[in-house]
């Protein structure tokens, strides 16, 4: 019962973490190098002065060929975070974030792999949920070993399959993002990036999933081995009992024959009654041992 509860807890954690990672947008985080916005009356810092204004200012001082902002001074770094579905970027011209579909950002050669990763991730969560339900039913049918053993076996199979799908989905997404980071749109390509907490959460979910499947398989294997061991012991006991019955039956027949020779004329009804009375006791004892 303790192992079943532990396996159910691991499965629940795997389902929760994988669902959280799927709907989050922090699989990859980093910064993007973009041009600074134009300075306005509302924004006077971290911006670029229009060229016409600069030319007027420089001509007034007689230095029209000089520009204070050159090279990286005209660029700024904005933060972004990307999930499987959506990519969100810092809005440098206002407040909040701007989000767009990550599927639209990926190159056409990688969109099929991304869709396959999405389908695998969804199936991973579905199979984990089915395994969780089967483990819950296993606890409910703890009084019936046969039903519990079957449910435990199916739960272990679904856990293993879901773990394989989850591993494939995570690896395919990593490949798609790396290609998109190098071949994606110019206004989106990251300057620096790293994996976010959602990506690590997905792999932790995979770890819990495999731990749950291993625990379920361990419970199933242990139960089957114990069942086969008890069957062997029971068969050995059945092989010994007929020999004992044969010995006692031969001994009884010999005693009865000798009794008949000695007391052939005395109490025949008593002997017949004793032999009849012995048979139900033997049958009853055999019946009890068989159950």
């Amino acid at each position: 019962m303790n192992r079943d509860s532990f396996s159910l807890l691991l499965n629940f954690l795997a389902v929760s973490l994988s669902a959280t990672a799927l709907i989050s947008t922090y699989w990859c985080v980093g910064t993007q190098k973009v041009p600074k916005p134009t300075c306005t009356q509302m924004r006077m810092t971290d911006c670029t002065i229009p060229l016409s204004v600069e030319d007027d200012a420089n001509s007034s001082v007689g230095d029209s060929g000089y520009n204070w902002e050159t090279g990286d001074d005209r660029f700024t770094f904005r933060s972004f975070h990307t999930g499987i579905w959506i990519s969100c970027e810092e809005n440098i011209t206002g407040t909040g974030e701007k989000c767009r579909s990550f599927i639209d950002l990926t190159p056409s050669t990688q969109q099929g792999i991304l869709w396959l990763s999405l389908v695998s991730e969804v199936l991973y969560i579905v199979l984990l949920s089915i395994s969780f339900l089967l483990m819950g039913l296993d606890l409910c049918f703890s009084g019936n070993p046969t039903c519990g053993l079957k449910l435990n076996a199916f739960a272990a199979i679904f856990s293993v399959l879901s773990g394989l799908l989850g591993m494939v989905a995570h690896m395919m997404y990593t490949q798609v993002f790396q290609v998109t980071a190098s071949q994606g749109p110019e206004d989106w390509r990251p300057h620096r990036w790293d994996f976010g907490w959602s990506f690590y959460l997905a792999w932790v979910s995979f770890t819990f999933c495999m731990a749950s499947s291993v625990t379920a398989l361990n419970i199933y294997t242990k139960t089957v081995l114990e069942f086969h061991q008890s069957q062997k012991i029971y068969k050995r006991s059945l092989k010994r009992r007929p020999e004992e019955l044969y010995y006692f039956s031969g001994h009884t027949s010999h005693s009865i024959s000798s009794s008949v020779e000695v007391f052939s004329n005395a109490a025949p009804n008593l002997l017949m009654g004793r032999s009849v009375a012995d048979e139900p006791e033997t049958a009853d004892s055999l019946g009890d041992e068989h159950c």
Side-chain angles (χ1 to χ4, degrees):
M1 183 65 68
N2 293 332
R3 290 189 178 184
D4 290 338
S5 301
F6 181 67
S7 179
L8 184 66
L9 177 61
L10 290 175
N11 196 284
F12 174 75
L13 291 175
V15 173
S16 302
L17 295 180
S18 60
T20 303
L22 179 63
I23 62 177
S24 64
T25 59
Y26 285 88
W27 285 67
C28 296
V29 296
T31 57
Q32 298 168 336
K33 184 178 179 180
V34 295
K36 292 181 180 179
T38 305
C39 295
T40 61
Q41 294 181 354
M42 302 297 296
R43 184 186 182 97
M44 301 300 296
T45 59
D46 198 17
C47 59
T48 58
I49 302 174
L51 292 177
S52 59
V53 176
E54 285 186 355
D55 293 339
D56 294 340
N58 292 332
S59 61
S60 64
V61 295
D63 192 10
S64 59
Y66 185 79
N67 185 3
W68 281 102
E69 293 188 348
T70 59
D72 289 341
D73 292 335
R74 287 189 175 273
F75 293 90
T76 186
F77 296 93
R78 66 180 180 187
S79 60
F80 79 98
H81 52 91
T82 303
I84 297 182
W85 303 92
I86 298 175
S87 176
C88 295
E89 305 144 10
E90 180 185 1
N91 187 3
I92 59 176
T93 60
T95 58
E97 294 179 335
K98 294 189 299 183
C99 297
R100 43 184 167 173
S101 174
F102 181 68
I103 300 175
D104 297 335
L105 297 172
T106 57
S108 57
T109 57
Q110 299 295 317
Q111 289 184 356
I113 300 177
L114 181 59
W115 277 111
L116 187 60
S117 175
L118 283 171
V119 173
S120 300
E121 193 72 28
V122 172
L123 288 177
Y124 166 60
I125 297 176
V126 170
L127 292 178
L128 266 180
S129 302
I130 295 175
S131 177
F132 176 76
L133 292 176
L134 292 176
M135 289 181 182
L137 291 175
D138 182 19
L139 289 177
C140 295
F141 286 97
S142 58
N144 191 337
T146 303
C147 294
L149 191 63
K150 292 180 180 179
L151 291 172
N152 192 274
F154 281 111
I157 292 173
F158 280 113
S159 295
V160 172
L161 291 177
S162 62
L164 293 176
L165 285 173
M167 180 181 64
V168 172
H170 303 159
M171 295 176 66
M172 286 191 297
Y173 177 80
T174 304
Q175 175 189 345
V176 170
F177 186 85
Q178 289 177 349
V179 175
T180 306
S182 60
Q183 302 179 8
E186 290 287 345
D187 63 337
W188 181 86
R189 292 182 189 178
H191 181 68
R192 289 188 301 270
W193 66 274
D194 197 359
F195 295 109
W197 61 266
S198 298
F199 182 80
Y200 296 112
L201 203 66
W203 280 109
V204 171
S205 170
F206 167 77
T207 304
F208 283 150
C209 171
M210 297 309 296
S212 175
S213 62
V214 169
T215 305
L217 286 174
N218 187 16
I219 295 171
Y220 174 80
T221 304
K222 181 181 178 181
T223 306
V224 171
L225 291 177
E226 289 178 351
F227 176 76
H228 286 304
Q229 187 67 22
S230 62
Q231 287 293 102
K232 289 181 181 179
I233 296 174
Y234 177 70
K235 289 179 180 179
R236 290 176 184 174
S237 63
L238 287 181
K239 288 180 180 178
R240 295 174 183 173
R241 188 162 295 279
E243 297 176 357
E244 296 175 358
L245 291 175
Y246 176 76
Y247 171 78
F248 285 113
S249 62
H251 180 74
T252 304
S253 61
H254 177 72
S255 62
I256 291 175
S257 60
S258 61
S259 301
V260 171
E261 291 179 0
V262 178
F263 302 103
S264 58
N265 297 324
N269 294 330
L270 179 61
L271 291 175
M272 294 296 295
R274 182 181 176 181
S275 62
V276 172
D278 289 341
E279 293 179 3
E281 294 177 0
T282 305
D284 293 340
S285 63
L286 286 175
D288 294 339
E289 292 293 336
H290 181 69
C291 291

